[in-house]
């Protein structure tokens, strides 16, 4: 692979691969990982590829079939163009037409966004991952193929990209090399949102060509809408899980708590990411303990979709997004609850509260609140009592992008943590300027092929560096237990995977978990030791 | 003849800007996509907070701080705060360029005022009455500083575009030509005024002719060239990316800072309900093409073929 800098036009070249990630190109990690050697990103053998294209960077989290005949190639291009036209029309894309047009029209190519992008930085500045690379290819295609004078003025305006099947296939993959964290948008002096443009590209592929990662679509929204949850948990299995969790609460705390579900007219319907049921039931248990001890009239739902707050439509498809969020709305309405509280899941916050704001219309416009606001009230007003000494170990807080940058929920979780953890350490930067965990936009749940390698080494690299830098050298050296509070299910999954890949529990004693676990660990009414210092 | 070119350029510029505004103003209500910090969030904008931080936020009056939003806008417009914070290299050229542009626009306005005054018998010169003198000197200051700063800025931006290797692959020929065009126009204008019209009286006379639709008195050749070039520039700016101020306004107000919550029975809700009636043309297997949105999103989709 030559080291010639990649050019925009290369996207349409008939080459085996546009870019290869070499471990030596990746920026070094901080102490004590300076000498860490990443294993090369694994190659996907032809037998596993099964006719799918990986000509962007050899990484695969999306199945784009390589067209076999000239006819198939032409059809792929034609479908792409028809989807692109639809993205630019009101009937088909009223949902994002204005933000999309504005972001297309307003870029002055100053590249300020590049410096803000953790993927571009931590890939060793690979050109294909530059925020502008992807957006500008789309812009140039629109200019050349969808404007009346486009082909004539292509040379002058720079719109001289050839639209062939290679361009289409690589653009599809490129839209899944961005976590939609919107850090670039925050830095852009013009207000252009490369994250939004990426999402529009994903939408085009999903809504017109039927191309989307299996984890998001087939095993994601489709499964959730048909079986109740993308985790595959059915309402029947859910009952067993409730039972298991009630027993677990008793084992851990000696308390007998009944987890309420489908209680009509409760004050609060609590919506959890169903991933918690399987991977971190202690998070659900902690919520139950807190709400019961505070005397809240609350409930969970056992109805299809009602026990899973995830909405992967947010990452790739407006129709699926609306379908899932409307289900949530209807369930809340049916239960007659006063408000919906979203548990520790960042993208569910955004889908239900911010995006849902324009979808939960009329009769289903039921108030929605972040669990951090609910919990802050309980802690600061001492409706539950905490002994901070129980949490006397170094703690840092990860800020999920969807909650902070996209929704402005910054302080409540900090106010809680500052009150209950005497050794709180802020990361740099944090809050609204945070770095994504590297698992955003659905990446955290993508475990197939060699994508996890990329997720650990490239998209998650900045966060892992931040985690290390959050603690002092002494804290790192002393091997005292340290806690990364990641109050979001997807971020938690990504951080778990990062800590595993970098062997950080054994090497530097970094454990991760949610916020409510810390609260319960500090509650004076609960037996000591809710937090188990075991990596899982 | 050149007067017709100027009228034509002004018309084209006006139509182009109106068309841009129209394009954005007529786009439908969209889903929320704000980005924090939002400056009108009272007491919270400093750290990027929002009303979502509050318990039962919907039951409380919204606390907004429009002064802070205006302050943020002013800092963005006059100081280019965003560029300063995130890209100092570009700011060093972009700042004089923009300030130069604002001063140049001020210069054109002052020429206009001067022409109106002269049309009403009030002289504009260094020895005229107070008003005439103020306008005369203000025109000099705005004119020369505007042209010089714009020229320096455009040249700096040109150098940056050409010298930065990471940047180069994103530049189109049009990006260089825009900047060169600016510098040519400014150079000719400066030569013209230094040599034949240092007090801007001839060009003020030209503006007067424009205003009154009267015949242009004979003007020196170099100034004719200046007027032709300025006219072309006035026409060219709104047609290209340099008129990004229109889009930027909408990007900030309609998207980035738009955190208006939708309430039952609100105007937002009414327009959304209407939009939900439009038919969907997408054709992936999980979408039943041609159904209205409202029906489509209440169904869970056909047998899924997407993977
Ligand atoms: S998206 Fe913004 S920051 Fe990036 S190149 Fe365009 S204008 Fe500059
Ligand atoms: S949204 Fe985030 S990951 Fe995507 S281009 Fe912008 S900064 Fe990079």
């Amino acid at each position: 692979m030559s080291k010639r800098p990649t050019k925009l036009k290369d996207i349409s070249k008939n080459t085996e691969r546009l870019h290869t990630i070499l471990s030596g190109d990746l920026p070094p990690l901080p102490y004590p990982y300076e000498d860490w050697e990443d294993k090369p990103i694994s190659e996907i053998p032809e037998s596993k590829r099964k006719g799918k294209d990986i000509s962007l960077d050899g990484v695969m989290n999306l199945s784009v079939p390589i067209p076999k005949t000239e006819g198939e190639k032409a059809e792929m291009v034609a479908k792409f163009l028809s989807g692109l036209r639809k993205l630019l029309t009101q009937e088909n894309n009223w949902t994002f037409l204005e933000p999309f047009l504005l972001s297309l029209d307003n870029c002055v190519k100053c590249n300020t966004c590049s410096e803000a992008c953790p993927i571009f930085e931590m890939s060793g500045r690979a050109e294909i991952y530059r925020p502008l690379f992807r957006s500008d290819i789309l812009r140039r295609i629109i200019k050349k193929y969808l404007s009346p004078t486009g082909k004539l003025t292509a040379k002058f305006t720079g719109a001289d990209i050839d639209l062939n099947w290679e361009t289409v296939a690589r653009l599809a993959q490129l839209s899944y090399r961005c976590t939609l964290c919107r850090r670039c948008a925050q830095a852009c002096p013009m207000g252009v949102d490369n994250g939004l443009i990426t999402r529009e590209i994903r939408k085009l592929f999903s809504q017109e060509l039927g191309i989307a990662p299996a984890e998001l679509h087939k095993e994601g929204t489709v499964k959730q809408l048909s079986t109740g949850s993308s985790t595959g948990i059915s309402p029947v299995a859910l009952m067993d899980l409730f039972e298991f969790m009630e027993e677990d609460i008793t084992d851990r705390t000696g308390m007998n708590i009944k987890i309420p579900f489908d209680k009509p007219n409760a004050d609060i319907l609590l919506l959890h990411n169903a991933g918690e049921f399987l991977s971190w039931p202690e998070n659900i248990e902690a919520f139950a303990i807190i709400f019961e001890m505070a005397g809240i009239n609350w409930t969970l739902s056992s109805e299809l979709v009602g026990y899973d707050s995830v909405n992967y439509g947010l990452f790739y498809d407006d129709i699926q997004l609306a379908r899932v969020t409307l289900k949530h709305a209807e369930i809340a309405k049916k239960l007659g609850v006063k408000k919906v509280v979203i548990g520790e899941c960042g993208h569910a916050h955004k889908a239900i509260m911010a995006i849902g704001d324009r979808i939960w219309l009329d009769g289903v416009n039921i108030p929605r609140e972040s669990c951090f606001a609910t919990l802050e009230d309980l802690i600061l007003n001492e409706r539950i009592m905490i002994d901070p000494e129980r949490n006397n170990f170094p703690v840092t807080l990860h800020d999920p992008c969807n909650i902070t940058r996209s929704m402005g929920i910054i302080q409540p979780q900090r106010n809680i943590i500052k009150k209950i953890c005497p050794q709180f350490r802020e990361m740099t930067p944090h809050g609204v300027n945070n770095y994504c965990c590297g698992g955003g936009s659905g990446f955290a749940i993508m475990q197939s092929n060699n994508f996890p390698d990329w997720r650990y080494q490239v998209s998650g690299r900045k966060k892992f560096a931040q985690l290390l830098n959050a603690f002092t050298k002494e804290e790192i050296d002393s091997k005292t237990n340290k806690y990364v509070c990641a109050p979001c299910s997807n971020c938690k999954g990504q951080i778990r995977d990062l800590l595993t890949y970098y062997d950080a529990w054994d090497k530097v004693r970094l454990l991760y978990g949610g916020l409510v676990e810390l609260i319960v660990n500090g509650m004076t009414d609960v037996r000591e030791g809710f937090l188990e210092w075991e990596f899982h | 003849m050149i007067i017709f070119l100027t009228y034509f350029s002004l018309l084209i510029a006006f139509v182009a800007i109106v068309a841009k505004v129209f394009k954005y103003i007529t786009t439908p209500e969209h889903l929320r996509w704000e980005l924090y910090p939002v400056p009108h969030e009272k007491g919270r904008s400093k750290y990027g907070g929002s009303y979502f931080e509050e318990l039962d936020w919907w039951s409380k009056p919204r606390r907004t701080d429009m002064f802070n939003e205006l302050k943020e806008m002013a800092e963005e417009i006059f100081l280019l705060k965003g560029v300063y914070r995130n890209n100092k290299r570009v700011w060093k050229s972009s700042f004089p360029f923009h300030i130069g542009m604002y001063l140049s626009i001020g210069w054109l306005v002052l020429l206009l005022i001067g022409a109106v005054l002269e049309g009403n018998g009030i002289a504009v010169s260094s020895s005229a009455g107070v008003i005439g003198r103020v306008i005369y000197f203000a025109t000099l200051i705005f004119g020369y500083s505007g042209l010089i700063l714009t020229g320096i800025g455009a040249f700096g931006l040109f150098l940056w575009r050409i010298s930065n290797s990471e940047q180069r692959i994103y530049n189109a020929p049009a990006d260089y030509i825009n900047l060169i065009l600016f510098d040519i126009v400014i150079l000719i204008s400066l030569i013209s005024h230094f040599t034949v019209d240092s007090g801007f009286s001839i060009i003020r006379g030209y503006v007067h002719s424009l205003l009154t639709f009267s015949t242009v008195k004979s003007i020196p050749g170099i100034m004719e060239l200046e007027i032709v070039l300025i006219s072309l520039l006035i026409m060219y700016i709104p047609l290209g990316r340099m008129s990004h101020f229109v889009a930027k306004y909408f990007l900030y107000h309609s998207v980035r800072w738009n955190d208006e919550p939708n309430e039952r029975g609100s105007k937002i809700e009414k327009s959304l309900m209407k939009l939900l009636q439009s038919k969907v043309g997408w054709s992936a297997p999980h979408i039943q093409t041609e159904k209205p949105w409202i029906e489509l999103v209440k169904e869970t989709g056909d047998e899924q073929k997407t993977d």
Side-chain angles (χ1 to χ4, degrees), chain A residues 86 92 95 98 105 107-109 125 127 193 210 212 317 323 339 358 362 369 407-408 410-411, chain B residues 23-24 31 33 36 50 53 56-57 161 166-167 170 241 254 260 269 281-282 284 286 299 306-307:
Chain A
K86 287 175 193 172
N92 289 300
T95 44
E98 188 178 15
D105 293 353
C107 175
V108 291
K109 328 277 150 127
R125 302 176 79 82
E127 202 58 45
D193 191 337
D317 188 302
R323 282 174 173 159
K339 66 180 172 191
R358 307 286 156 102
D362 204 16
E369 177 175 289
M407 290 182 70
I410 318 284
Q411 277 309 331
Chain B
K23 173 177 170 185
Y24 301 126
L31 299 185
W33 201 255
Y36 290 85
S50 76
E53 291 188 325
D56 296 336
W57 60 266
R161 283 211 183 269
E166 284 200 346
Q167 178 65 42
Y170 297 94
R241 231 184 11 235
S254 186
E260 183 70 28
E269 184 169 274
W282 295 102
H286 64 288
E299 292 165 7
T306 310
D307 64 355

Side-chain angles (χ1 to χ4, degrees), chain A residues 113-131:
Chain A
C113 47
S114 308
E115 306 310 317
C117 174
I119 294 183
F120 174 61
E121 181 193 344
M122 296 318 251
S123 65
R125 302 176 79 82
E127 202 58 45
I128 60 163
Y129 301 143
R130 195 187 277 276

Side-chain angles (χ1 to χ4, degrees), chain A residues 6-8 63 83 86-87 90-92 94-99 101-103 105-112 125 127 130 132-133 136 140 155-158 182 185-193 196 199 204 206-208 210-214 217-218 222 225 317-323 326 330 339 350 353-355 357-359 361-363 365 367-369 373-374 376-377 404-412 432, chain B residues 23-37 44 47-58 76 82-83 85-87 90 160-161 166-167 169-175 177-178 236 241 244-252 254-256 258-265 268-269 272-273 275-276 278-289 293-294 296-302 304-307:
Chain A
T6 315
K7 302 235 169 66
L8 290 161
S63 291
K86 287 175 193 172
L87 271 190
Q90 184 161 322
E91 312 74 67
N92 289 300
W94 61 265
T95 44
F96 284 101
L97 184 62
E98 188 178 15
L101 287 179
L102 287 165
S103 278
D105 293 353
N106 211 14
C107 175
V108 291
K109 328 277 150 127
C110 66
N111 260 315
T112 310
R125 302 176 79 82
E127 202 58 45
R130 195 187 277 276
L132 187 54
F133 188 83
D136 227 37
R140 287 170 196 229
K155 281 263 178 297
F156 180 66
T157 58
R182 303 178 75 203
Q186 213 174 32
C188 171
M190 308 307 298
V192 171
D193 191 337
L196 174 94
R199 186 177 178 276
L204 187 170
S206 176
Q207 296 180 184
E208 189 70 6
I211 294 175
H217 189 68
K218 200 168 152 201
V222 173
L225 288 164
D317 188 302
D318 285 350
I319 311 274
Q320 296 296 82
L321 165 69
R323 282 174 173 159
L326 264 184
E330 281 158 11
K339 66 180 172 191
K350 181 163 163 184
M353 290 176 71
I355 299 281
D357 185 67
R358 307 286 156 102
I359 302 180
L361 302 175
D362 204 16
N365 192 349
R368 282 96 65 202
E369 177 175 289
T374 322
E376 184 192 28
D377 173 57
T404 52
R405 201 167 6 260
S406 285
M407 290 182 70
I409 304 174
I410 318 284
Q411 277 309 331
V432 80
Chain B
K23 173 177 170 185
Y24 301 126
I25 234 166
T26 51
T27 52
E29 193 71 56
H30 53 82
L31 299 185
R32 270 175 69 168
W33 201 255
E34 71 262 36
L35 186 69
Y36 290 85
R44 296 193 170 105
Y47 63 83
S50 76
Y51 57 82
F52 283 141
E53 291 188 325
E54 269 187 76
L55 185 80
D56 296 336
W57 60 266
W58 55 91
E76 193 51 51
V83 191
R85 207 174 23 214
N86 298 306
N87 196 338
V90 169
W160 161 72
R161 283 211 183 269
E166 284 200 346
Q167 178 65 42
I169 69 163
Y170 297 94
N171 297 334
D175 294 316
I177 290 168
N178 287 346
Y236 181 69
R241 231 184 11 235
H244 52 242
F245 58 90
V246 178
K248 186 167 175 175
Y249 176 85
F250 283 94
L251 248 176
Y252 275 73
S254 186
V255 184
R256 208 172 158 146
N258 181 1
D259 62 348
E260 183 70 28
N262 167 40
E263 283 159 14
R264 279 194 199 187
I268 298 178
E269 184 169 274
L272 289 170
M273 295 298 271
L275 287 165
L276 285 169
S278 44
K279 288 190 179 155
V280 180
W282 295 102
S283 45
H286 64 288
I287 299 170
Q288 300 84 36
T289 316
W293 277 83
I294 190 82
L296 191 64
V297 295
K298 287 195 172 161
E299 292 165 7
T300 50
D302 288 345
Q304 311 291 321
K305 292 181 200 121
T306 310
D307 64 355

Side-chain angles (χ1 to χ4, degrees), chain A residues 117-119 131 134 178-184 195:
Chain A
C117 174
I119 294 183
R134 180 188 307 113
C178 157
T179 61
L180 312 185
C181 76
R182 303 178 75 203
R183 208 167 182 274
C184 52

